[in-house]
Amino acid sequence: MHFPGAHIISVSQFERSDVERIFDVASAMRPYAHRERVTKVLDGAILGNMFFEPSTRTRVSFGCAFNLLGGEVRETTDIKASSLTKGESLYDTGRVMSGYSDIIVMRHPQAGSVAEFSRASRVPVLNAGDGPNEHPSQALLDLYTIKRELMSRQQGIDGMHLAMVGDLKHGRTVHSLSQLVSLYSNIRFTLISPRELRMPEEIVEELRQRGHEVVETEDMESGLTANDIVYLTRIQEERFANKMEADLYRGRFRLNQAIYTRYCQPNTVIMHPLPRDSRDDANELDNDLNQHPNLAIFRQTDNGVLVRMALFALTLDVADQVDKHARDVNWYTERRF
């Protein structure tokens, strides 16, 4: 795809070469994300960070990524604080807000809403999650993490075995990730979920049409065996009619140290898009795995800043100028990475 000025709405926009281009730029951002260098390549640029649904990691990660490139961030974090509550259309909102920003990141609870907004925007729009539909930047950072984790084991993405566990019906992260992974070759997908929360049929069919093996099961123990990556998701309570309905499935698919040791391969990487639900009745990813070397969930969050920096640099067409506007860090910075 042609990145400069483009909206990033769906993973369906990408070819494999586009994904690799994003990953190359993300890796080049490492000195800046790790506070070894400072760049002002986006000095004077403004990000409109518009989050009409709760978010911590995605919102702060996008803002951090933009700041690290030298830009400024303006945030809208509550739909009740916007004129949408007065009946303003997404079209009008997009038309207006794009006059105040150089690029916009948007999250909204309705599927297709960000695409609708982008049609009125005069600047690039990045989809930070539209209801249960898609979350392209999360899929990119997840796949970037998978690539790096497998590289450390002298493996590649092609031919890998990937298990996805939990609420696969409502989980936009797994929808986007599975479609992005399908750009690669000979993937075996094991989809572990209650029958009522299975991956949408159209996504499963697309994976099979692209030549990948797909196994759907409700048996977590057998599904966990022989995987390179296990990707867990929480029950998406906010997508159910009520808490009582969500509670029917909460806690049914848990991974802890004992289960991992018994069923997973010794080098199986554990991933989760976060937040993980740590309440006693849920706890899909147990705290007893917190110190496990194969737990990659916090490496995922670090990688998210790199990938989002890359998306900003590519869509604003400054990827080849970052180093020209750089200098060394002159404040104390602890080695966090």
Side-chain angles (χ1 to χ4, degrees):
M1 64 177 289
H2 182 69
F3 283 100
H7 303 307
I8 306 296
I9 305 298
S10 168
V11 295
S12 64
Q13 296 173 244
F14 301 130
E15 300 291 340
R16 177 167 172 168
S17 59
D18 301 321
V19 175
E20 295 298 338
R21 170 64 173 151
I22 294 169
F23 291 173
D24 287 344
V25 175
S27 294
M29 297 297 173
R30 195 166 298 274
Y32 304 101
H34 290 187
R35 315 302 197 271
E36 297 164 6
R37 301 272 286 163
V38 176
T39 182
K40 293 293 184 181
V41 69
L42 291 183
D43 187 25
I46 296 174
L47 164 65
N49 223 19
M50 302 180 65
F51 278 73
F52 299 128
E53 193 176 46
S55 172
T56 302
R57 273 152 301 277
T58 303
R59 177 177 59 82
V60 176
S61 176
F62 267 116
C64 176
F66 205 74
N67 287 150
L68 288 169
L69 290 169
E72 299 181 17
V73 181
R74 301 288 184 269
E75 291 198 330
T76 303
T77 57
D78 187 346
I79 196 168
K80 294 178 182 178
S82 77
S83 291
L84 291 172
T85 60
K86 303 176 183 178
E88 184 174 54
S89 67
L90 283 170
Y91 181 93
D92 286 359
T93 304
R95 187 72 177 176
V96 170
M97 294 304 295
S98 60
Y100 303 152
S101 309
D102 296 288
I103 192 167
I104 293 172
V105 172
M106 186 178 184
R107 171 173 288 188
H108 195 281
Q110 295 178 356
S113 54
V114 181
E116 182 181 348
F117 178 93
S118 71
R119 284 191 281 272
S121 176
R122 293 168 279 174
V123 300
V125 175
L126 278 58
N127 183 2
D130 58 331
N133 186 32
E134 280 211 56
H135 197 344
S137 69
Q138 180 71 47
L140 286 165
L141 75 88
D142 287 340
L143 188 55
Y144 182 75
T145 302
I146 288 171
K147 180 179 181 178
R148 290 188 60 83
E149 295 292 320
L150 293 179
M151 281 176 59
S152 70
R153 295 158 171 76
Q154 288 74 53
Q155 293 178 253
I157 297 173
D158 291 320
M160 76 167 174
H161 294 179
L162 169 64
M164 294 180 167
V165 185
D167 185 353
L168 307 185
K169 176 180 179 181
H170 301 106
R172 59 192 172 201
T173 60
V174 290
H175 297 169
S176 291
L177 178 58
S178 59
Q179 293 174 83
L180 200 63
V181 171
S182 73
L183 296 174
Y184 291 75
S185 302
N186 302 318
I187 310 298
R188 189 185 77 182
F189 293 88
T190 301
L191 307 178
I192 307 168
S193 69
R195 179 172 295 275
E196 299 84 355
L197 301 181
R198 292 169 67 176
M199 184 77 80
E201 185 176 341
E202 62 271 18
I203 294 178
V204 174
E205 183 58 30
E206 179 182 349
L207 298 179
R208 288 178 171 146
Q209 286 181 355
R210 292 189 176 189
H212 304 296
E213 178 184 354
V214 181
V215 176
E216 296 182 273
T217 181
E218 295 184 69
D219 185 350
M220 183 166 177
E221 287 77 12
S222 64
L224 287 177
T225 61
N227 291 291
D228 301 301
I229 309 288
V230 172
Y231 189 102
L232 294 105
T233 64
R234 66 182 175 88
I235 298 300
Q236 304 279 307
E237 182 179 318
E238 64 272 25
R239 312 292 176 205
F240 288 81
N242 52 63
K243 182 178 182 298
M244 185 178 301
E245 184 179 341
D247 285 344
L248 295 174
Y249 307 102
R250 201 186 310 278
R252 286 176 55 180
F253 293 90
R254 297 184 178 187
L255 182 64
N256 57 29
Q257 180 66 69
I259 293 172
Y260 180 92
T261 301
R262 184 173 181 182
Y263 296 105
C264 294
Q265 297 183 115
N267 286 329
T268 299
V269 177
I270 308 164
M271 297 179 61
H272 192 297
L274 300 181
R276 54 177 167 171
D277 191 339
S278 296
R279 291 173 288 188
D280 289 341
D281 60 342
N283 201 23
E284 72 271 0
L285 181 55
D286 200 288
N287 289 331
D288 69 0
L289 287 162
N290 279 358
Q291 305 306 316
H292 200 290
N294 293 330
L295 183 73
I297 60 175
F298 302 118
R299 295 192 286 275
Q300 282 174 262
T301 59
D302 288 345
N303 288 335
V305 174
L306 298 171
V307 168
R308 287 164 177 143
M309 290 177 75
L311 291 175
F312 287 136
L314 288 164
T315 54
L316 293 177
D317 199 20
V318 296
D320 61 348
Q321 303 176 44
V322 175
D323 292 341
K324 298 176 184 178
H325 298 266
R327 62 171 173 80
D328 291 337
V329 169
N330 60 2
W331 63 84
Y332 171 78
T333 176
E334 190 174 346
R335 300 294 297 178
R336 289 168 281 169
F337 299 97

